[in-house]
Amino acid sequence: MSSNPPPEHLPELLLVNRQRTVSYDVKFIRRIGELAMPHCVAACKSDEAALASLRSVEVSIVSDKTIAKVHGEFFDDPTPTDVITFLHGELVLGAETIRANAKTYRQSPNDEAALCVVHGLLHLAGWNDLRKREAESMAKRQEKIFQLARAALKSA
């Protein structure tokens, strides 16, 4: 991934399921995030990237109704989405949107949620997906990190 040495201190990943509509394996999603963390920190675009200095990253899985409120309040778009990243170290995941995306991409909701965590961590590492080329590069990186984390989980 990167020739950077592993960081001395990795941010702690805190994950809370704050909804009851979709059943998620919170332990699995948290573990994938933890295993992805060193790769995401190593992928920081600069020393100023938020992930380079955070002590923790809090992930909340919420209902689509809740994430739509957050999306509207902070991004002037009152629609549900899969993941919102705040640079102070908070990721908000939309449960029903993730479940729908999992069907579209033919994977489990747990894998899709874990992939959203990796996506959010890369945003904290300074990655952006607003332009097509950036989005493609970020998607490749997040898939590679996700696969590395899954492989590490299987071998543990």
Side-chain angles (χ1 to χ4, degrees), residues 79-95:
T79 60
T81 188
D82 53 356
V83 59
I84 296 175
T85 304
F86 291 100
L87 294 181
H88 63 266
E90 183 179 6
L91 308 178
V92 183
L93 278 57

Side-chain angles (χ1 to χ4, degrees), residues 128-141:
N128 208 326
D129 56 2
L130 296 176
R131 294 190 183 105
K132 186 178 179 186
R133 180 174 276 162
E134 291 174 330
E136 290 169 353
S137 179
M138 185 174 178
K140 285 179 187 173
R141 178 63 59 111

